[in-house]
Amino acid sequence: MKKFVAILLTLMLVLGVSAAFAEGTEETPSPTTTTASLGKVVVISGEGAVMPAETFNFTIKNDGVTDAAEGVTTENMPTPTLGSAEFKGGEPNGTEVAISIGLPTYKSVGIYTYTIEETAGATAGMTYSNAVLTLKVTVVNDENGGFKVAGTSLVGSDDKKKHDTFQNTYSAGKL
């Protein structure tokens, strides 16, 4: 009986290991990130105030790069593109609009850092955000000898808290 149990355990171990090995050999496609996003929110205050139509614009600047190939600098690293946030007017208080971030093609591994700021407009009653967000893009080698974005993160100026929204306040008094 002991011999039978030993053979059974050995057989189970061999089958378990080969099944695990077979599972591990399947190629799992890894996602490649080409976009990211952040949000734009306008808080409306004041009795009878209605959100006016406005397009909010943003700037992005290269801030630094670490762990990249020799010769990749802040001046020559690729820069993402930013969309704008368009409000048609009359949106409810706290409506959030997505702003797309188009990530460029990277030609080296590394951690690429960018700063994003809102460009102040001229709408009366609008208090524009003065937040500075930091976008970090981590690039790694892919399976085919190229490069892929492994992840992105957005943090506020305190560098400790995830922060992915610009918030403005619109206030209008009674006439």
Side-chain angles (χ1 to χ4, degrees), residues 65-78 107-109 112:
V65 59
T66 58
D67 302 325
E70 190 174 323
V72 178
T73 65
T74 302
E75 291 75 31
N76 67 15
M77 67 191 233
K107 296 182 179 175
S108 169
V109 298
Y112 297 83

Side-chain angles (χ1 to χ4, degrees), residues 30 107-110 138-150:
S30 48
K107 296 182 179 175
S108 169
V109 298
T138 303
V139 178
V140 297
N141 290 314
D142 70 10
E143 302 80 28
N144 303 318
F147 306 100
K148 67 180 179 181
V149 174

Side-chain angles (χ1 to χ4, degrees), residues 129-159:
S129 175
N130 60 0
V132 177
L133 301 184
T134 300
L135 170 66
K136 290 188 179 188
V137 180
T138 303
V139 178
V140 297
N141 290 314
D142 70 10
E143 302 80 28
N144 303 318
F147 306 100
K148 67 180 179 181
V149 174
T152 61
S153 67
L154 278 163
V155 294
S157 55
D158 64 4
D159 203 31

Side-chain angles (χ1 to χ4, degrees), residues 4-167:
F4 176 73
V5 171
I7 291 172
L8 183 61
L9 286 175
T10 304
L11 184 60
M12 288 174 56
L13 180 63
V14 168
L15 289 175
V17 167
S18 59
F21 179 73
E23 269 184 41
T25 59
E26 290 180 30
E27 288 190 32
T28 307
S30 48
T32 300
T33 304
T34 57
T35 61
S37 67
L38 54 99
K40 177 67 184 166
V41 174
V42 177
V43 175
I44 303 168
S45 68
E47 189 179 329
V50 177
M51 174 67 195
E54 182 163 358
T55 300
F56 297 94
N57 296 300
F58 306 87
T59 59
I60 187 165
K61 295 178 186 168
N62 295 355
D63 193 42
V65 59
T66 58
D67 302 325
E70 190 174 323
V72 178
T73 65
T74 302
E75 291 75 31
N76 67 15
M77 67 191 233
T79 306
T81 57
L82 282 178
S84 58
E86 184 176 345
F87 287 79
K88 305 273 186 210
E91 284 87 356
N93 189 20
T95 298
E96 183 171 336
V97 173
I99 305 158
S100 67
I101 303 170
L103 299 177
T105 300
Y106 291 93
K107 296 182 179 175
S108 169
V109 298
I111 300 171
Y112 297 83
T113 306
Y114 307 92
T115 55
I116 302 173
E117 296 179 73
E118 180 176 6
T119 304
T123 300
M126 185 71 68
T127 303
Y128 293 89
S129 175
N130 60 0
V132 177
L133 301 184
T134 300
L135 170 66
K136 290 188 179 188
V137 180
T138 303
V139 178
V140 297
N141 290 314
D142 70 10
E143 302 80 28
N144 303 318
F147 306 100
K148 67 180 179 181
V149 174
T152 61
S153 67
L154 278 163
V155 294
S157 55
D158 64 4
D159 203 31
K160 296 177 185 162
K161 183 172 104 175
K162 181 181 182 242
H163 185 65
D164 58 1
T165 322
F166 284 96
Q167 181 175 315

